[in-house]
Amino acid sequence: LLLGLLRAPARPDGLLYPRMAAAARLFAALGACVALAQEVTIEVYYGPYCPNSANYLSMYLQPFLYANIPDVKLTMLPYALDTATHSLPLPCPSPVPGSPCGALAAPLCALQPFAGVMPQVLTQSYVAAVNFAICDLIHANHGAPAVLTHTQADIEQCAVDNQVRPKSVTGCLSSVQPSPEYMQKIMDADARLLPGRMAPFIFVDGEMIDNSQPLLPLVCDKMPNSASCAAAMSMRRFSIGPRVANLGGGDRRWLAWSGTAGLTCAMLFVALRVKTWRAEMCQIESARRGLMPTRRFNDFDGDEEDASLAE
């Protein structure tokens, strides 16, 4: 409808009809909203053998990924530096379980190939690698629930569940080493850490944030014009898994009725505006051709003006 208005013929004096001008202003406003959209960069450096990291990534990062917010770039890497020496222990990764280096190999195999282009947009393959790393992290920190294990079979299952080729991970477990790109990212992050903080270390647009806060509101505060953020923030509870939110029955009914009412009102408004516009177009065109009285606008007063307009 708006495109049709903009393509319609202009008045003889070269001005757009009033409705066309309104449509042009609406397009300008929409363009301004798009221009205000801001890209947000998130960095997550987590301990591969750290229950606090497992809790944060599963409770806050994974639901954020399922919310599918556009214009976001993510850096996510395992962090296993010795806090005293600010370097990796040797050897690291290590075949000895029960330590950060002992749990480093699998996430390094999955995430290190993306290190050179991080912060990375949330492509399907990258999100799959991130979700695999979260699954592996939960198994590595299997104190709760204690029934979980962290074996090669578990690693393969995490890969299958998250659409990552199992051999791309298991095939490099015994030989993977930190790449220069990975080490550069980790060392840069280590230099920015605030004293007294514990993993995971979270940065939003370069600013280190408290890892006890949900990630989604912090990001959406920086993206006030994002429709995806508005939809995600309207959900009161997020659950881990393919469903973005788990709403109760009352909430679902309320959202359904309010959405239906809003859509109905919008359709009625558009129909009324189209009807009004068509009537005005007919009146203006008829007046221009001299087919009807010219008292369309209140600012024409006097016989002289009427006679000139009729002519």
Side-chain angles (χ1 to χ4, degrees):
L1 173 62
L2 293 177
L3 288 174
L5 288 174
L6 290 177
R7 291 174 179 172
R11 288 167 51 178
D13 55 7
L15 297 176
L16 290 173
Y17 287 123
R19 295 302 173 189
M20 299 178 196
R25 289 193 296 270
L26 177 58
F27 270 111
L30 291 174
C33 288
V34 172
L36 289 174
Q38 180 180 358
E39 184 178 82
V40 176
T41 300
I42 303 170
E43 300 170 70
V44 178
Y45 305 97
Y46 71 94
Y49 194 72
C50 171
N52 195 52
S53 293
N55 290 335
Y56 183 91
L57 268 63
S58 61
M59 292 174 60
Y60 297 144
L61 179 61
Q62 204 163 39
F64 173 81
L65 296 176
Y66 291 130
N68 196 28
I69 305 299
D71 301 315
V72 170
K73 288 187 175 181
L74 173 68
T75 295
M76 177 171 149
L77 291 169
Y79 175 97
L81 295 183
D82 187 320
T83 55
T85 63
H86 299 280
S87 61
L88 283 177
L90 295 177
C92 194
S94 167
V96 180
S99 68
C101 289
L104 182 61
L108 206 59
C109 287
L111 295 173
Q112 184 166 256
F114 299 95
V117 292
M118 291 181 182
Q120 164 85 3
V121 295
L122 298 177
T123 62
Q124 184 176 357
S125 58
Y126 183 39
V127 171
V130 169
N131 282 324
F132 162 80
I134 296 174
C135 178
D136 178 77
L137 177 64
I138 293 172
H139 278 270
N141 296 270
H142 52 77
V147 295
L148 291 178
T149 57
H150 190 222
T151 65
Q152 182 162 331
D154 296 320
I155 294 173
E156 292 177 355
Q157 190 60 51
C158 281
V160 171
D161 292 343
N162 292 284
Q163 290 77 53
V164 174
R165 291 189 302 109
K167 288 186 178 180
S168 67
V169 176
T170 58
C172 83
L173 288 177
S174 60
S175 60
V176 64
Q177 292 296 318
S179 67
E181 294 83 4
Y182 166 80
M183 289 303 304
Q184 185 65 50
K185 295 284 187 185
I186 292 298
M187 297 305 295
D188 288 348
D190 185 70
R192 292 181 288 144
L193 298 183
L194 299 178
R197 296 292 183 93
M198 62 184 301
F201 310 115
I202 315 297
F203 297 85
V204 176
D205 284 343
E207 179 183 357
M208 192 172 186
I209 65 170
D210 184 359
N211 62 16
S212 65
Q213 301 179 33
L215 183 60
L216 182 63
L218 294 174
V219 174
C220 287
D221 282 347
K222 296 178 176 289
M223 306 176 74
N225 300 307
S226 170
S228 298
C229 266
M233 290 299 295
S234 69
M235 304 301 182
R236 298 194 313 173
R237 297 189 299 275
F238 284 84
S239 62
I240 301 171
R243 297 180 61 185
V244 174
N246 180 19
L247 290 174
D251 291 329
R252 283 196 295 266
R253 287 191 294 271
W254 184 87
L255 285 175
W257 280 110
S258 62
T260 302
L263 181 61
T264 302
C265 290
M267 294 175 65
L268 289 173
F269 176 78
V270 171
L272 289 173
R273 298 294 283 181
V274 170
K275 183 178 180 180
T276 303
W277 169 76
R278 292 181 64 184
E280 289 183 0
M281 293 300 100
C282 289
Q283 291 174 352
I284 293 173
E285 189 67 20
S286 297
R288 187 172 65 85
R289 296 179 179 181
L291 299 180
M292 63 177 293
T294 58
R295 289 287 182 176
R296 172 64 183 86
F297 299 104
N298 294 329
D299 58 337
F300 287 99
D301 294 319
D303 296 333
E304 180 178 354
E305 290 84 347
D306 288 346
S308 62
L309 180 60
E311 179 180 352

